[in-house]
Amino acid sequence: MTDPNAIQPSALDQLPDRDPEETAEWQASLDAVAEAAGPHRAAYLMRRTLERAEGAGVSLPQLLETDYVNTIPTAAEPAVAGDEALESRITAWNRWNAAAMVTRGSKYGVGGHIATFASAAWLYETGFNHFFHGKEGDGSGDQLYVQGHASPGIYARAFLDGRLSETQLDNFRREAGGNGLPSYPHPRRLPWLWEFPTVSMGLGPISAIYQARFNRYLTSRGIKDLSNSHVWAFLGDGEMDEPESTTALTLASREGLDNLTFVINCNLQRLDGPVRANFKIVQELEALFRGAGWNVIKTLWGTAWDELFRLDTTGALVRRLREVPDAQVQTYQTRDAAYIREDFFGKDPALVEMAKLLSDDKILECFHFSRGGHEARKVYAAYKAALAHKGAPTVILAQTVKGHTLGDGFASKNANHQMKKLTVEQFKDMRDRLDLPISDAQFVDGVVPYGHPGADSPEVRYLQERRAALGGPAPSRRVHPVAPLPMPADKAFTAFDKGSGTQSVATTMAFVRLVKDLVRDKETGKRWVPIVPDEARTFGMESLFPSLGIYSPKGQTYEPVDRDQLMYYKEATNGQIFNEGITEAGAMAEFIAASTSYATHGETMIPFYIYYSMFGWQRTGDQMWQAGDQLARGFLVGATAGRTTLTGEGLQHADGHSPAIAATNPAALSYDPAFAYELGVIVKDGLRRMFGEAAPGEDPNVFYYLTVYNEPLPQPAKPTTPGVDEGIVKGLYRYNTAEEAGLAPVSPELSASLEQGGAPVAPRIQLLGSGTAIHWALKAQRLLAEEWGVAADVWSATSWTELRRDAMDADAAMLRGEERVPFVRRALQGAQGPVLAVSDYMRQVPDQIAQWVEQDWASLGADGFGLSDTREAARRHFGIDAESIVVAALAQLARRGEVKATAVKEARERYGL
């Protein structure tokens, strides 16, 4: 058995010791200190030695944890550059109105959260008074990711500033005809105030990192100088358990994003209960961020603790603070001085003696109230140090008490996240605690009043002066007047109008070629932002590497292994492509930053993010909703799409449902184009709508989802019949008829008995296909004509979702007394026979439009799990190949009496179904 006390082998054992005698002397010195002064003294000396080594530039691994004390000593704190008394009054008013707003709203049953802002008030107020830059300077200012549950405090400040009225506060969590306030930060609901939706926890941290990175990208590419913009992300300690919260930490340090600061409100509580009941979340986060390369500032204790630390001559207090678990710290917040004396101080003789020097009031002040996050001076010092630090991002771990100043009924209670109101007596206690001039008479019929010192009061003048000095109000979202982007020449969009001849081209390759042509445009080319998580070569994007370059803040410090090849891997500080690595979440966060640049920075950028379709809406769908919330504009491209097009990849890569998920998002315009020329029409229309001249009634704040395929197939020429472009954009057009395809029935014995002019009339069916399924429909069209005497017309359904939305709009119009015929009904009007729809997705996708199709309806789709096999075998398995379409078509016609019932059985046997 290994001796646990034995010195274990280490990496140093692999290095030759050039002076073993000197090494032995150092080790003996350490042993002597440990024996004479104890292990705590030895550990202290070792930490100070490591600090000295780091300061002297000696390369050593950093300690991942420091003591449970403030990083910045009280003696090193700078004076707050402002009127601390006035700032305290402003904060008191904001605390009051935040609680009043939520409490008054409770009578409508809409709820709200009080405790989060109560803990974080000084974290925000210090920033608003001294650090957060507004947009009245360069138009960008700082970017603020406000913790969602703290929104009442931000509304309260906007009320004090005169940007919100009492009526609006009373409509918290209600629409109120546009005069209300959304529950949380939401640009789509309050677009002049909120820039970033953050309450879907974990998305704020990753978005802030990629926003800071995108700011550097815009600067490096010469689009806009954002060297003075800073990104601030306010997060909860419990929120850091979300995988998205920590997934990009190393990217931020690797790229030296010192334009980014995380402020983590460490009130030690989740939404329900402690974050780390038996452990210490601050220490865990410190180790996590230090290990990821971040600068860490701990702001844990208020000035009341200074006396205790001065009395700690043995280190007993620091040791005790490190060992007490978070849930016990929370308990101290709610217990009396006697309990704290016994449980905290009573564990160590040195602490027992220390406690004898402390009054009960002093103990309660320290353990109930005095936290670093509750003192402007402590927070100011942390923020200033964060901005001064260069070369790495900073995280501030600010310890607070959840429900601070709300009284004993709220502070540190496990249930305080669900507590939506205070009683009148609790408000009066809060009033006295905050020393606010609100009289008992102002509580009319038990309703708590809002408080305001007056538009010309010293508090409001000070607040407005500070914001004016910092560049205007914050938070604030402004969409600057940006000229519509000029439309690129038609040549790029019409490159495939004549088809590809004998060459087989996958629609993925066609899309990449289209983008390659568009990025060459002199006017708009530089505004394209290609984003790919990994496998750029899978999508054929390597052709963009040499011409556009891959963005890297360090450029290319190595010679690429493929330097002698035409499509070599080229990185550059002004590179245009984001090649993110294996992180769909990171790529999506980058897309959001780029797609909202028109508002954040007044610079229109055109992102297209291309990825395996299976790993988009399924894996990062919450971020797609975030994009819609943030009014994103751009192109999401689900490549290698469909359930049967990825040969042999199996169920994990087989996307049979992304259009169904995309259809749930009102901001996503989902298209499943079949041919290369359709891509040109759709992208051109998307550029017009989102970045050019949107038509009346069109919302430009949308993003497009295009599914493209990796199956190389001949690309046909674009039909010349009228209305094709309109049909492509709206979702449906007739590609050809049986006659246009040069087909005629050759089996008149299966035709209907009705004759016209002595010739049997061929049964007719309408085949609707989307994406790659159109090719199976075209083959089925030929089989039906040549083998079964059936005429089939083939339609390309570029967007089942847009057809459905148009039809739903028509239904809504009808209820308003307006006459509107859905486009799908108009398009199919007069089309003979039943309709059979087919796609490479679950039947639910085409079935979206069934209720608005007047003809008999049937559909085929790839429902169920995928499988590893050839494309042909997979399509036969799902019953969506050409032969399966023929059988389904005959079955429809047989039910109508237009072909013999025996034809269906005969077809099944002939095709081996």
Side-chain angles (χ1 to χ4, degrees), residues 257-323:
L257 298 181
D258 51 23
N259 61 336
L260 169 68
T261 298
F262 276 14
V263 182
I264 302 181
N265 178 15
C266 297
N267 56 34
L268 314 184
Q269 289 182 246
R270 293 192 183 117
L271 305 186
D272 184 7
V275 178
R276 293 290 184 271
N278 296 295
F279 306 92
K280 300 192 78 64
I281 186 59
V282 169
Q283 299 299 92
E284 180 182 322
L285 291 175
E286 179 184 26
L288 174 69
F289 279 89
R290 283 186 181 275
W294 286 53
N295 175 45
V296 179
I297 298 174
K298 293 198 290 192
T299 302
L300 307 180
W301 307 111
T303 53
W305 283 82
D306 289 348
E307 180 183 344
L308 277 66
F309 288 123
R310 284 195 299 269
L311 294 172
D312 184 27
T313 57
T314 65
L317 176 63
V318 173
R319 290 195 299 273
R320 181 66 177 139
L321 289 173
R322 287 196 63 173
E323 69 187 24

Side-chain angles (χ1 to χ4, degrees), residues 413-430:
K413 300 295 185 182
N414 281 336
N416 61 20
H417 184 74
Q418 296 300 323
M419 298 164 71
K420 311 299 185 186
K421 60 183 178 180
L422 281 73
T423 66
V424 169
E425 290 308 312
Q426 286 173 322
F427 265 110
K428 290 179 179 179
D429 289 342
M430 182 182 177

